[in-house]
């Protein structure tokens, strides 16, 4: 059965990275002379925020995954187990869940973790406009949608503190993936007293934040390129935490980071989906396909990108196979917003993407027809657009293919490429400060709903006004868990509206995650929905 397909990497190799490029005698001598005192993790960019309600970028998310903890966590086998809660009672046929919180759960400043901290964090998430796509995690809660649409007040949200250590949660139905949502960073609690004390400054530095997870953050200031994760001595499960300190270093240059890994300067380096055969043959290298997608988002507030015929023209003009065939790229073409090998039916083990099929593909005839209609409605024969992308060479390779596809197939269209830092790109997306934007995104739980209801598309709920789409999603949300086929058909219908009919976003490709990990670093667990790793149970073999 693959309905909850788990991707877990627990590292058990016994050779040291110091053996790479050295003889066994040389390695032995080096190991005899030096004892590793700290674990150094390369991270690709600065952290945007430690505020779990506000964090959208992958760098913030991977840190928050390890310094905060929610009702559930992933264990060493990748299974969900209770964490901040010690027990759960289910009522009303799976709609109501009552959690008894751990009395020994504390914040790093010594405050107890109480039910109010969960209520505060979830209501804050729903109230923040800046949280953009993060708030969709809450749609499984009673009245969350109505509150977001200003139809009900915040007090009606389906979460309630019965006492300091009892939390009552009411869902909109019997949701099969609710535990995975509650284990996501956006649903972690916040110390309400500390968050209120610091206000807008909360989470911007380690000094303005307190933590309830296995580690705390030390030395993080605005724009920091170095900081540390320190074992949290107030953490209820501290006896399971074997490593006392992880040092993080921002290194944007991937090639330099890889060289430093093999020199023994780093213990972890995320490589991503671009790597060559030579690197793949090195000791310490690992890879796996993950549900990370690349898409083009369109600014719906602007005349050209707000035109459906323009968006369709772009969607049909892109050669996804050519993108997937890019030298060094490891992934596959994406023909819808939900990736392959991700969500399987519990009834027949059929993958969602296989059942939904190719919703869009390269079709130059359709692209030219839609482009002709777009120019007519826009009133222009010459159009110049900016495509925003991450500031690295790998993204530039894909962006150049897209530009070439569009300019050759759609005469009169000119594309400017604009490379920006990840955090700046997220800010621009939230502020509508772009024309078209290349975006990569990973889900927070294993269910096709994650992509249909979020997909990394900022302002999806605010800007996409197709009632059929939202009706299908609402039906999928409340459909009984034992009617999986019926539920999946609602999701497929919604995806066709989003991608084919309205071309709200244009899918590009699905990616692999390549990474380098010190073989002596054991029991590093990767979450089943992406590239985030969990350090709680990891250890360094001597």
């Amino acid at each position: 059965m693959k309905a909850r397909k788990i991707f877990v990497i627990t590292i058990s190799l016994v050779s040291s990275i110091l053996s790479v490029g050295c003889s066994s005698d040389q390695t032995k001598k080096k190991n005899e002379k030096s004892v590793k005192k700290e674990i150094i993790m390369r991270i690709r960019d600065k952290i945007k925020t430690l505020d779990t309600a506000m964090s959208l970028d992958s760098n913030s998310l991977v840190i928050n995954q390890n310094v905060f903890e929610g009702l559930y966590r992933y264990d060493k086998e990748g299974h969900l187990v209770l964490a901040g809660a010690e027990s759960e009672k289910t009522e009303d046929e799976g709609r109501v869940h009552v959690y008894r919180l751990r009395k020994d759960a504390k914040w790093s400043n010594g405050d107890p973790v109480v039910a109010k901290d969960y209520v505060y964090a979830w209501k804050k998430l729903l109230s923040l406009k800046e949280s953009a796509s993060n708030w969709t995690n809450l749609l499984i809660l009673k009245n969350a949608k109505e509150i977001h649409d200003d139809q009900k007040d915040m007090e009606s949200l389906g979460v309630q503190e019965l006492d300091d250590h009892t939390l009552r949660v009411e869902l909109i139905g019997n949701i099969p993936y609710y535990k995975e949502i509650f284990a996501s960073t956006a649903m972690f609690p916040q110390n309400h007293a500390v968050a209120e004390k610091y206000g807008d400054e909360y989470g911007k530095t380690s000094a303005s934040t307190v933590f309830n997870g296995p580690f705390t953050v030390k030395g993080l200031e605005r724009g920091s390129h170095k900081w540390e994760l320190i074992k949290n001595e107030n953490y209820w499960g501290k006896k399971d935490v074997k490593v006392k300190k992880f040092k993080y270093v921002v290194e944007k240059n991937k090639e330099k980071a890889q060289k430093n890994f093999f020199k023994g300067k780093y213990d972890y380096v995320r490589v991503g989906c671009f790597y060559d055969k030579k690197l793949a043959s090195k000791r310490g290298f690992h890879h796996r396909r993950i549900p990370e997608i690349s898409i083009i988002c369109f600014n719906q507030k602007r005349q050209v990108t707000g035109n459906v015929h323009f968006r369709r023209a772009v969607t049909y003009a892109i050669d996804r196979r050519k993108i997937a065939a890019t030298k060094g790229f490891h992934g596959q073409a994406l023909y819808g917003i939900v990736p392959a090998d991700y969500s399987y039916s519990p009834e027949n083990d059929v993958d969602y993407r296989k059942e939904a099929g190719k919703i869009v593909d390269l079709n130059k005839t359709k692209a030219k027809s839609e482009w002709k209609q777009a120019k007519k409605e826009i009133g222009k024969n010459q159009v110049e657009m900016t495509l925003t992308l991450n500031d690295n060479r790998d993204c530039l390779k894909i962006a150049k293919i897209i530009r070439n596809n569009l300019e050759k197939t759609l005469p009169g269209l000119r594309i400017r490429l604009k490379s920006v830092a990840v955090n700046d790109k997220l800010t621009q997306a939230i502020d509508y400060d772009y024309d078209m934007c290349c975006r990569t995104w990973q889900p927070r739980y294993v269910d096709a709903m994650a992509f249909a209801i979020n997909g990394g598309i900022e302002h999806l709920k605010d800007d996409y006004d197709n009632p059929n789409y939202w009706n299908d999603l609402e039906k999928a949300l409340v459909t009984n868990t034992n009617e999986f086929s019926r539920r999946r058909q609602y999701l497929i219908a919604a995806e066709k509206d989003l991608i084919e009919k309205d071309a709200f976003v244009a899918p590009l490709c699905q990616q692999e995650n390549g990474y380098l990990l010190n073989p002596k670093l054991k029991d590093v667990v990767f979450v089943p929905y992406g590239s985030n790793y969990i350090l709680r149970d990891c250890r360094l073999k001597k």
Side-chain angles (χ1 to χ4, degrees), residues 437-480:
C437 178
C438 283
R439 176 83 193 271
T440 60
W441 188 78
Q442 301 175 27
R444 307 290 181 261
Y445 53 92
V446 182
D447 191 274
M449 179 64 77
F451 288 90
I453 211 164
N454 187 328
I457 310 165
E458 307 305 336
H459 309 294
L460 173 64
K461 185 68 174 63
D462 297 323
D463 293 344
Y464 189 41
D465 57 2
N466 183 332
N468 292 330
Y469 177 85
W470 295 109
N471 286 338
D472 282 330
L473 286 195
E474 187 170 355
K475 291 174 184 176
L477 276 167
V478 300
T479 298
N480 198 295

Side-chain angles (χ1 to χ4, degrees), residues 80-94:
L80 281 168
V81 295
L82 287 171
E86 63 181 9
S87 67
E88 173 190 10
K89 181 181 179 182
T90 303
E91 302 172 351
D92 194 13
E93 298 181 338

Side-chain angles (χ1 to χ4, degrees), residues 193-427:
V194 173
E196 288 178 349
K197 173 184 175 181
Y198 286 101
D200 291 341
E201 295 301 306
Y202 173 78
K204 291 185 177 180
T205 67
S206 52
S208 64
T209 320
V210 290
F211 313 93
N212 72 323
F215 301 94
T216 66
V217 182
K218 180 182 178 182
L220 181 70
E221 303 294 337
R222 294 175 187 268
S224 290
H225 284 75
K226 292 181 180 180
W227 61 87
E228 296 173 341
L229 298 194
I230 307 295
K231 181 177 178 178
N232 184 0
E233 293 300 331
N234 279 327
Y235 177 56
W236 67 269
K238 65 180 180 181
K239 65 179 179 60
D240 298 323
V241 182
K242 308 301 181 186
V243 177
K244 292 185 177 181
K245 180 169 71 172
F246 291 89
K247 183 177 180 180
Y248 277 80
V249 178
V250 173
E251 176 54 74
K252 291 188 177 183
N253 188 304
K254 185 171 68 174
E255 288 73 21
K256 183 178 178 181
Q258 292 168 17
K259 289 179 181 178
N260 282 334
F261 174 85
F262 291 112
K263 290 179 181 178
K265 293 182 179 180
Y266 294 147
D267 295 288
Y268 171 82
V269 172
R270 185 182 178 193
V271 176
C273 58
F274 275 89
Y275 56 86
D276 57 30
K277 292 181 180 179
K278 185 178 180 181
L279 179 64
S281 66
K282 297 277 190 179
R283 196 182 299 274
F285 178 84
H286 306 269
H287 70 99
R288 64 190 181 98
R289 181 179 295 172
I290 60 174
E292 181 173 35
I293 63 169
S294 293
I295 58 176
I296 293 178
C297 293
F298 302 94
N299 188 340
Q300 304 294 323
K301 301 296 186 183
R302 296 186 176 175
Q303 181 193 25
V304 178
T305 46
N307 183 279
V308 66
H309 298 288
F310 172 80
R311 299 195 302 269
R312 288 177 189 163
V314 169
T315 299
Y316 286 121
I318 295 171
D319 189 344
R320 294 162 181 81
R321 291 177 184 82
K322 190 168 184 179
I323 292 175
T326 303
K327 184 178 180 181
F329 177 77
H330 294 267
Q332 62 186 41
L334 183 64
Y335 303 100
I337 197 169
V338 182
D341 301 325
Y342 166 67
S343 177
Y344 286 81
S345 167
E347 299 172 355
N348 54 21
D349 269 357
V350 174
D351 178 35
Y352 175 95
R353 188 73 271 143
K354 184 176 181 180
E355 184 172 343
K358 295 180 181 179
I359 293 180
V360 291
D361 199 352
L362 176 65
N363 190 320
K364 293 183 179 180
T365 301
K366 283 187 177 181
K368 290 177 179 179
S369 175
E370 294 290 348
W371 176 232
K372 182 179 179 180
Q373 183 62 30
K375 289 191 292 184
K376 182 179 179 180
E377 294 186 3
I378 294 167
K380 298 178 181 178
N381 286 319
Q382 302 292 322
V383 175
E384 191 170 303
M385 286 278 104
T386 297
L387 177 62
T388 305
L389 58 139
N390 288 354
D391 58 345
N392 64 66
R393 287 184 292 176
D394 295 335
C395 289
L396 186 59
K397 291 177 185 177
I398 292 178
K400 285 181 177 179
I401 294 173
I402 295 169
R403 179 177 63 184
N404 187 57
N405 287 167
L406 298 183
E407 291 185 348
K408 281 190 174 182
T409 306
L410 310 177
L413 178 63
R414 291 292 176 266
I415 303 295
R416 297 190 309 270
L417 301 181
K418 180 181 179 181
S419 297
V420 300
V422 173
N423 291 344
D424 293 336
K425 186 156 68 76
L426 282 171
T427 300

Side-chain angles (χ1 to χ4, degrees), residues 3-25:
R4 289 291 178 269
K5 192 173 184 181
I6 300 295
F7 297 92
V8 181
I9 307 295
T10 54
I11 304 303
S12 60
L13 300 177
V14 297
S15 53
S16 168
I17 59 171
L18 294 173
S19 66
V20 179
C22 304
S23 69
S24 59
D25 289 339

Side-chain angles (χ1 to χ4, degrees), residues 95 135-141 144-145 171-178 181 445 447-450 452-453 461 469-481 486-488 490-491:
R95 290 182 65 257
W135 80 273
T136 58
N137 286 274
L138 294 165
L139 282 172
I140 66 170
L141 296 187
K145 178 179 179 295
L171 308 180
I172 60 175
N174 186 352
I175 307 297
Y177 49 89
Y178 74 94
I181 287 188
Y445 53 92
D447 191 274
M449 179 64 77
I453 211 164
K461 185 68 174 63
Y469 177 85
W470 295 109
N471 286 338
D472 282 330
L473 286 195
E474 187 170 355
K475 291 174 184 176
L477 276 167
V478 300
T479 298
N480 198 295
T481 55
R486 182 182 174 197
R487 179 175 180 270
R488 175 170 280 188
Y490 289 135
L491 290 170

